[in-house]
Amino acid sequence: MEAINASIGFDRKLYPQDIAASKAHCAMLERQGIIAPDDGKAIREGLDTILREIDAGTFTFKTALEDIHMNVEARLKELIGEPAGRLHTARSRNDQVATDFRLWLRDAVDRIDAQLRALQTALIDQAEAGADLVMPGFTHLQAAQPVTLGHHLMAYVEMFGRDRGRFADARRRLNECPLGAAALAGTSFPIDREMTAKALGFDRPTANSMDSVADRDFALETLAAASISAMHLSRLGEELVLWCNDGFAFVELSDAFTTGSSIMPQKKNPDGAELVRAKAGRIVGALVTLLTVMKGLPMTYGKDMQEDKEPVFDAAATLELSLACMVGMIADMRPNAENLRAATQKGFLTATDLADWLVRVAGMPFREAHHVTGALVKKAEDRRVDLAELSLDEMQSVDSRIDASVYDVLTVESAVASRTSYGGTAPANVRAAAQAARERFL
């Protein structure tokens, strides 16, 4: 029972939040005349001593005391004696842990947001540098249309921007203070919950005492945001794995962000990207774990809810590590302009531009232009040449309305430059989008 019941092995991480919440609660009890000023002063000084001891590594955590709350309270009694017992007036471990957990998550969300911002900065920097670098854009992992590297990277800036929005939404909702809800029904003492909420930086107290102690939506929302962000990181990690592969060779990472093989001296493996890709599973698993813990619980608190913290702690640490690694890799990444350009010469990437030209200049309905373009692609395939290498006579043998101006749209540079619609890949668009992103996100 001691082994399964104790949480001090992991909830000791909450000690700064637990002590801060206890000090706020103590100050409120004193101001409301619920405890004497001398007792309040002794409690606060004792809590400060405990904080220094834990920070210094001299505090002895005891499994028999179950959790961080009882470990702190027991030490407080050793330090100041009988007044320590007054601190728990008008509160319970139920509202205490809910408060501590929200405080901890709020700090974690703030750290993650700063890291996501740093990743956006690295991506925008690389996007501006690669605004003119043409490369294949893919659908179904098949070459589809030419784009620029900058445009490709800016897609991830948007993705991580949405992640930041989700974390910000979660933070707004979690920033309510459960302290004072007590075990589940509130308290008969004349407490001031507005005071404690304000002292701890919350926007307001939670509105219902039962929901205050039963709720873990704030943790679930944060894990949901973390899971989506981890999925985005995994996708970007997969791009780096592909781009570093010799079959693509689109970018190179330095030795600082690659590893070698134990037997193959030539290997330069993008292990960081692979691990970021894999760690998404741990974060998604944490979300599933907590959803499963909570799904069958009646009101209000059950000891099942002790299982909330380990997956959240692990998911936050895993996401922060993954973000740190990805920021480093993106900043370190060196594009290979020659290989990026060479890859656009496969797959008839300007076929859509040819069809658009047939609509715009030859006046064809798009479906007819699509059919004519398909016939020209087949002719180029048979000759093993690119569309731009077909002669005008060969093109006119398919449709007589084609004239020499068609060649103006058959280079990848012209194709990319023509995509000037809002959100398109034209280099000028990429530069404007990068500047706009700096204003929106940074």
Side-chain angles (χ1 to χ4, degrees):
M1 277 304 298
E2 181 177 292
I4 197 170
N5 204 44
S7 60
I8 190 59
F10 51 85
D11 71 10
R12 66 178 65 185
K13 189 186 293 284
L14 297 174
Y15 80 88
Q17 292 79 23
D18 193 70
I19 290 173
S22 288
K23 289 174 70 175
H25 185 67
C26 175
M28 181 275 296
L29 293 175
E30 184 181 335
R31 197 185 75 170
Q32 295 297 105
I34 299 170
I35 65 173
D38 288 347
D39 287 343
K41 181 174 183 293
I43 289 168
R44 286 192 297 275
E45 290 176 351
L47 290 171
D48 286 337
T49 298
I50 294 169
L51 181 62
R52 288 193 297 270
E53 289 177 349
I54 299 177
D55 285 340
T58 61
F59 187 93
T60 301
F61 292 100
K62 298 174 182 176
T63 302
L65 293 172
E66 294 186 20
D67 55 34
I68 185 61
H69 321 298
M70 296 308 296
N71 270 264
V72 169
E73 186 173 320
R75 178 58 177 151
L76 185 63
K77 186 174 182 180
E78 291 175 354
L79 290 170
I80 69 170
E82 186 266 345
R86 302 187 186 282
L87 175 60
H88 210 53
T89 306
R91 75 175 185 185
S92 160
R93 281 189 292 177
N94 293 355
D95 62 335
Q96 196 177 353
V97 69
T99 303
D100 294 355
F101 201 14
R102 285 175 186 253
L103 288 170
W104 188 92
L105 262 178
R106 191 175 68 187
D107 291 343
V109 166
D110 290 345
R111 292 193 306 270
I112 289 167
D113 180 73
Q115 287 186 293
L116 284 166
R117 184 181 186 277
L119 179 53
Q120 288 181 299
T121 301
L123 285 164
I124 292 169
D125 289 344
Q126 288 280 19
E128 286 181 327
D132 294 298
L133 298 181
V134 293
M135 65 176 290
F138 297 90
T139 62
H140 309 278
L141 201 55
Q142 305 295 313
Q145 291 181 283
V147 295
T148 64
L149 177 63
H151 191 57
H152 193 129
L153 295 175
M154 286 301 298
Y156 283 99
V157 173
E158 295 298 320
M159 291 160 75
F160 293 121
R162 292 193 295 275
D163 290 338
R164 291 180 68 188
R166 276 181 281 270
F167 278 113
D169 287 343
R171 191 191 192 284
R172 276 192 291 273
R173 273 184 290 276
L174 74 79
N175 205 36
E176 296 183 348
C177 185
L179 195 59
L184 78 159
T187 178
S188 58
F189 289 96
I191 62 173
D192 184 346
R193 293 190 63 206
E194 293 282 353
M195 177 183 173
T196 48
K198 183 178 180 181
L200 293 169
F202 288 108
D203 294 330
R204 64 192 68 84
T206 50
N208 181 282
S209 63
M210 295 180 73
D211 180 58
S212 299
V213 300
D215 170 48
R216 290 299 182 269
D217 289 0
F218 61 90
L220 288 167
E221 278 198 75
T222 305
L223 286 177
S227 296
I228 296 171
S229 188
M231 176 270 291
H232 289 156
L233 287 168
S234 180
R235 294 184 71 177
L236 182 53
E238 172 67 2
E239 304 265 25
L240 290 177
V241 170
L242 289 173
W243 290 356
C244 289
N245 179 275
D246 288 340
F248 286 81
F250 286 174
V251 303
E252 184 178 353
L253 295 174
S254 73
D255 290 346
F257 288 93
T258 55
T259 59
S261 163
S262 62
I263 64 169
M264 295 171 284
Q266 84 283 7
K267 294 298 294 296
K268 195 174 182 182
N269 301 320
D271 283 1
E274 293 172 11
L275 288 165
V276 167
R277 187 175 60 185
K279 286 181 183 294
R282 286 175 64 169
I283 297 169
V284 174
L287 172 60
V288 174
T289 295
L290 187 52
L291 284 168
T292 307
V293 166
M294 297 301 298
K295 71 172 184 62
L297 298 187
M299 285 290 187
T300 55
Y301 181 86
K303 196 61 181 274
D304 316 51
M305 294 165 69
Q306 181 171 288
E307 293 297 305
D308 58 358
K309 284 169 281 299
E310 283 187 288
V312 172
F313 291 163
D314 183 74
T318 301
L319 183 59
E320 289 181 57
L321 179 60
S322 296
L323 282 165
C325 185
M326 188 59 75
V327 170
M329 286 188 293
I330 293 299
D332 182 75
M333 183 179 74
R334 295 186 297 277
N336 187 319
E338 184 177 333
N339 288 350
L340 288 164
R341 176 66 173 78
T344 65
Q345 301 308 297
K346 307 169 187 175
F348 305 103
L349 299 189
T350 57
T352 305
D353 299 273
L354 173 55
D356 289 347
W357 183 91
L358 292 170
V359 171
R360 188 170 57 251
V361 178
M364 296 182 191
F366 183 79
R367 284 300 166 204
E368 182 183 356
H370 188 278
H371 175 75
V372 170
T373 300
L376 289 167
V377 167
K378 179 66 168 61
K379 187 177 284 288
E381 281 181 332
D382 292 343
R383 283 202 51 212
R384 298 182 182 277
V385 297
D386 191 53
L387 284 170
E389 296 175 287
L390 291 174
S391 69
L392 184 58
D393 287 342
E394 287 174 308
M395 289 194 180
Q396 289 177 337
S397 72
V398 174
D399 194 287
S400 61
R401 288 170 287 185
I402 299 174
D403 62 41
S405 66
V406 72
Y407 293 102
D408 294 338
V409 302
L410 295 183
T411 67
V412 292
E413 285 78 12
S414 63
V416 164
S418 71
R419 296 290 194 269
T420 56
S421 60
Y422 182 76
T425 190
N429 282 32
V430 174
R431 293 187 179 90
Q435 180 57 41
R438 288 190 189 280
E439 295 171 5
R440 285 165 58 202
F441 298 124
L442 310 183

